[in-house]
mmCIF file of all heavy atoms in Angstrom:
data_model
loop_
_atom_site.group_PDB
_atom_site.id
_atom_site.type_symbol
_atom_site.label_atom_id
_atom_site.label_comp_id
_atom_site.label_asym_id
_atom_site.label_seq_id
_atom_site.Cartn_x
_atom_site.Cartn_y
_atom_site.Cartn_z
ATOM 1 N N THR A 108 -9.267 7.464 -22.770
ATOM 2 C CA THR A 108 -9.890 6.528 -21.836
ATOM 3 C C THR A 108 -11.013 7.172 -21.027
ATOM 4 O O THR A 108 -12.059 6.566 -20.820
ATOM 5 C CB THR A 108 -8.815 5.980 -20.891
ATOM 6 O OG1 THR A 108 -7.720 5.540 -21.697
ATOM 7 C CG2 THR A 108 -9.333 4.789 -20.112
ATOM 8 N N ASP A 110 -12.872 9.615 -21.927
ATOM 9 C CA ASP A 110 -14.016 9.817 -22.830
ATOM 10 C C ASP A 110 -14.825 8.533 -22.918
ATOM 11 O O ASP A 110 -16.056 8.555 -22.880
ATOM 12 C CB ASP A 110 -13.544 10.209 -24.242
ATOM 13 C CG ASP A 110 -13.000 11.622 -24.299
ATOM 14 O OD1 ASP A 110 -12.948 12.275 -23.238
ATOM 15 O OD2 ASP A 110 -12.629 12.070 -25.399
ATOM 16 N N GLU A 116 -20.610 5.424 -18.976
ATOM 17 C CA GLU A 116 -21.514 5.784 -17.868
ATOM 18 C C GLU A 116 -22.854 6.276 -18.401
ATOM 19 O O GLU A 116 -23.912 5.863 -17.920
ATOM 20 C CB GLU A 116 -20.877 6.874 -16.994
ATOM 21 C CG GLU A 116 -19.695 6.374 -16.156
ATOM 22 C CD GLU A 116 -18.906 7.501 -15.480
ATOM 23 O OE1 GLU A 116 -19.128 8.700 -15.821
ATOM 24 O OE2 GLU A 116 -18.062 7.186 -14.629
ATOM 25 N N THR A 162 -7.550 -9.157 -35.795
ATOM 26 C CA THR A 162 -7.013 -10.180 -36.710
ATOM 27 C C THR A 162 -6.852 -11.535 -36.031
ATOM 28 O O THR A 162 -6.982 -12.569 -36.669
ATOM 29 C CB THR A 162 -5.665 -9.751 -37.329
ATOM 30 O OG1 THR A 162 -4.826 -9.245 -36.291
ATOM 31 C CG2 THR A 162 -5.869 -8.694 -38.375
ATOM 32 N N GLU A 166 -8.355 -15.116 -37.471
ATOM 33 C CA GLU A 166 -7.558 -16.348 -37.557
ATOM 34 C C GLU A 166 -8.329 -17.518 -36.929
ATOM 35 O O GLU A 166 -8.428 -18.605 -37.513
ATOM 36 C CB GLU A 166 -6.246 -16.114 -36.797
ATOM 37 C CG GLU A 166 -5.224 -17.194 -36.925
ATOM 38 C CD GLU A 166 -4.330 -17.014 -38.132
ATOM 39 O OE1 GLU A 166 -3.776 -15.904 -38.349
ATOM 40 O OE2 GLU A 166 -4.179 -17.987 -38.870
ATOM 41 N N ILE A 190 -13.791 -0.810 -21.767
ATOM 42 C CA ILE A 190 -14.658 -1.258 -22.861
ATOM 43 C C ILE A 190 -16.056 -1.481 -22.304
ATOM 44 O O ILE A 190 -16.236 -1.775 -21.127
ATOM 45 C CB ILE A 190 -14.122 -2.538 -23.543
ATOM 46 C CG1 ILE A 190 -13.762 -3.605 -22.512
ATOM 47 C CG2 ILE A 190 -12.948 -2.206 -24.441
ATOM 48 C CD1 ILE A 190 -13.354 -4.948 -23.117
ATOM 49 N N GLY A 191 -17.038 -1.320 -23.201
ATOM 50 C CA GLY A 191 -18.427 -1.375 -22.766
ATOM 51 C C GLY A 191 -18.885 -2.747 -22.339
ATOM 52 O O GLY A 191 -19.693 -2.889 -21.430
ATOM 53 N N LYS A 193 -17.466 -6.740 -21.491
ATOM 54 C CA LYS A 193 -16.315 -7.600 -21.260
ATOM 55 C C LYS A 193 -16.733 -9.058 -21.449
ATOM 56 O O LYS A 193 -17.919 -9.353 -21.599
ATOM 57 C CB LYS A 193 -15.789 -7.366 -19.851
ATOM 58 C CG LYS A 193 -15.492 -5.878 -19.622
ATOM 59 C CD LYS A 193 -14.701 -5.633 -18.388
ATOM 60 C CE LYS A 193 -15.575 -5.479 -17.175
ATOM 61 N NZ LYS A 193 -14.812 -4.957 -16.032
ATOM 62 N N GLY A 242 0.342 -13.089 -25.948
ATOM 63 C CA GLY A 242 1.278 -12.218 -25.242
ATOM 64 C C GLY A 242 2.190 -12.913 -24.245
ATOM 65 O O GLY A 242 2.759 -12.253 -23.370
ATOM 66 N N THR A 244 5.075 -13.857 -24.756
ATOM 67 C CA THR A 244 6.431 -13.331 -24.941
ATOM 68 C C THR A 244 6.493 -11.810 -24.766
ATOM 69 O O THR A 244 7.517 -11.196 -25.054
ATOM 70 C CB THR A 244 6.960 -13.687 -26.346
ATOM 71 O OG1 THR A 244 5.951 -13.360 -27.302
ATOM 72 C CG2 THR A 244 7.280 -15.169 -26.458
ATOM 73 N N GLY A 255 -4.902 -1.291 -24.087
ATOM 74 C CA GLY A 255 -5.125 -2.063 -22.865
ATOM 75 C C GLY A 255 -4.177 -3.237 -22.689
ATOM 76 O O GLY A 255 -4.243 -3.952 -21.689
ATOM 77 N N SER A 284 -3.819 -23.190 -33.814
ATOM 78 C CA SER A 284 -4.366 -24.392 -34.452
ATOM 79 C C SER A 284 -4.852 -25.433 -33.447
ATOM 80 O O SER A 284 -5.472 -26.414 -33.824
ATOM 81 C CB SER A 284 -3.330 -24.999 -35.396
ATOM 82 O OG SER A 284 -2.127 -25.231 -34.695
ATOM 83 N N ARG B 115 -9.941 -0.828 -14.344
ATOM 84 C CA ARG B 115 -10.548 -1.470 -15.506
ATOM 85 C C ARG B 115 -11.711 -2.357 -15.103
ATOM 86 O O ARG B 115 -12.739 -2.373 -15.777
ATOM 87 C CB ARG B 115 -9.500 -2.309 -16.236
ATOM 88 C CG ARG B 115 -8.379 -1.469 -16.789
ATOM 89 C CD ARG B 115 -7.181 -2.303 -17.187
ATOM 90 N NE ARG B 115 -7.448 -3.156 -18.330
ATOM 91 C CZ ARG B 115 -6.558 -3.434 -19.270
ATOM 92 N NH1 ARG B 115 -5.349 -2.932 -19.206
ATOM 93 N NH2 ARG B 115 -6.847 -4.228 -20.265
ATOM 94 N N SER B 116 -11.536 -3.131 -14.013
ATOM 95 C CA SER B 116 -12.562 -4.142 -13.720
ATOM 96 C C SER B 116 -13.889 -3.521 -13.301
ATOM 97 O O SER B 116 -14.937 -4.039 -13.645
ATOM 98 C CB SER B 116 -12.109 -5.145 -12.664
ATOM 99 O OG SER B 116 -10.854 -4.864 -12.195
ATOM 100 N N ARG B 118 -14.757 -0.414 -14.099
ATOM 101 C CA ARG B 118 -15.021 0.682 -15.029
ATOM 102 C C ARG B 118 -15.352 1.949 -14.254
ATOM 103 O O ARG B 118 -16.416 2.556 -14.407
ATOM 104 C CB ARG B 118 -16.163 0.304 -15.989
ATOM 105 C CG ARG B 118 -15.680 -0.560 -17.136
ATOM 106 C CD ARG B 118 -16.796 -0.998 -18.033
ATOM 107 N NE ARG B 118 -17.640 -1.970 -17.391
ATOM 108 C CZ ARG B 118 -18.189 -3.022 -18.021
ATOM 109 N NH1 ARG B 118 -17.970 -3.215 -19.295
ATOM 110 N NH2 ARG B 118 -18.945 -3.862 -17.367
ATOM 111 N N THR B 150 -17.187 9.352 -12.918
ATOM 112 C CA THR B 150 -16.574 10.635 -13.289
ATOM 113 C C THR B 150 -17.387 11.791 -12.677
ATOM 114 O O THR B 150 -16.831 12.809 -12.326
ATOM 115 C CB THR B 150 -16.459 10.791 -14.815
ATOM 116 O OG1 THR B 150 -17.740 10.581 -15.389
ATOM 117 C CG2 THR B 150 -15.471 9.802 -15.398
ATOM 118 N N ASP B 220 -2.820 9.384 -20.075
ATOM 119 C CA ASP B 220 -3.369 8.584 -21.166
ATOM 120 C C ASP B 220 -2.778 9.055 -22.497
ATOM 121 O O ASP B 220 -3.019 10.185 -22.922
ATOM 122 C CB ASP B 220 -4.896 8.758 -21.147
ATOM 123 C CG ASP B 220 -5.594 8.033 -22.285
ATOM 124 O OD1 ASP B 220 -4.930 7.275 -23.015
ATOM 125 O OD2 ASP B 220 -6.815 8.237 -22.426
ATOM 126 N N ARG B 226 -4.959 16.534 -26.818
ATOM 127 C CA ARG B 226 -5.610 17.745 -26.320
ATOM 128 C C ARG B 226 -4.855 18.373 -25.143
ATOM 129 O O ARG B 226 -5.373 19.275 -24.501
ATOM 130 C CB ARG B 226 -7.069 17.478 -25.963
ATOM 131 C CG ARG B 226 -7.293 16.399 -24.926
ATOM 132 C CD ARG B 226 -8.788 16.140 -24.794
ATOM 133 N NE ARG B 226 -9.057 15.015 -23.937
ATOM 134 C CZ ARG B 226 -10.145 14.260 -24.030
ATOM 135 N NH1 ARG B 226 -11.028 14.482 -24.976
ATOM 136 N NH2 ARG B 226 -10.343 13.268 -23.199
ATOM 137 N N GLU B 243 10.962 2.984 -31.385
ATOM 138 C CA GLU B 243 9.534 2.867 -31.073
ATOM 139 C C GLU B 243 8.809 4.176 -31.381
ATOM 140 O O GLU B 243 7.697 4.174 -31.893
ATOM 141 C CB GLU B 243 9.339 2.470 -29.600
ATOM 142 C CG GLU B 243 9.760 1.035 -29.324
ATOM 143 C CD GLU B 243 9.795 0.662 -27.837
ATOM 144 O OE1 GLU B 243 9.180 1.372 -27.027
ATOM 145 O OE2 GLU B 243 10.456 -0.342 -27.513
ATOM 146 N N ASN B 265 -0.091 -7.974 -39.150
ATOM 147 C CA ASN B 265 -1.151 -6.949 -39.085
ATOM 148 C C ASN B 265 -2.071 -7.255 -37.912
ATOM 149 O O ASN B 265 -2.621 -8.343 -37.803
ATOM 150 C CB ASN B 265 -1.922 -6.862 -40.403
ATOM 151 C CG ASN B 265 -2.713 -8.116 -40.719
ATOM 152 O OD1 ASN B 265 -2.256 -9.228 -40.497
ATOM 153 N ND2 ASN B 265 -3.898 -7.942 -41.240
ATOM 154 N N ASP B 275 4.491 -15.436 -29.861
ATOM 155 C CA ASP B 275 4.337 -16.593 -28.975
ATOM 156 C C ASP B 275 4.541 -17.892 -29.751
ATOM 157 O O ASP B 275 5.139 -18.846 -29.242
ATOM 158 C CB ASP B 275 2.935 -16.611 -28.347
ATOM 159 C CG ASP B 275 2.672 -15.415 -27.435
ATOM 160 O OD1 ASP B 275 3.639 -14.688 -27.116
ATOM 161 O OD2 ASP B 275 1.506 -15.210 -27.047
ATOM 162 N N ARG B 349 3.606 -15.672 -44.799
ATOM 163 C CA ARG B 349 2.301 -16.314 -44.774
ATOM 164 C C ARG B 349 1.283 -15.224 -45.051
ATOM 165 O O ARG B 349 1.162 -14.261 -44.311
ATOM 166 C CB ARG B 349 2.082 -16.944 -43.403
ATOM 167 C CG ARG B 349 0.840 -17.773 -43.329
ATOM 168 C CD ARG B 349 -0.095 -17.148 -42.371
ATOM 169 N NE ARG B 349 -1.309 -17.929 -42.231
ATOM 170 C CZ ARG B 349 -2.234 -17.623 -41.360
ATOM 171 N NH1 ARG B 349 -2.048 -16.627 -40.546
ATOM 172 N NH2 ARG B 349 -3.332 -18.306 -41.305
ATOM 173 N N GLU B 374 1.537 -21.659 -37.900
ATOM 174 C CA GLU B 374 2.386 -22.686 -37.283
ATOM 175 C C GLU B 374 3.487 -23.132 -38.238
ATOM 176 O O GLU B 374 4.640 -23.294 -37.842
ATOM 177 C CB GLU B 374 1.534 -23.887 -36.842
ATOM 178 C CG GLU B 374 0.651 -23.600 -35.635
ATOM 179 C CD GLU B 374 -0.613 -22.810 -35.968
ATOM 180 O OE1 GLU B 374 -0.873 -22.565 -37.169
ATOM 181 O OE2 GLU B 374 -1.333 -22.418 -35.031
#
Side-chain angles (χ1 to χ4, degrees):
Chain A
T108 311
D110 288 2
E116 289 170 349
T162 47
E166 188 87 50
I190 49 174
K193 305 193 273 192
T244 48
S284 54
Chain B
R115 297 165 68 144
S116 1
R118 279 177 289 218
T150 54
D220 177 8
R226 58 186 173 207
E243 289 171 18
N265 66 320
D275 296 349
R349 187 245 181 175
E374 289 78 6

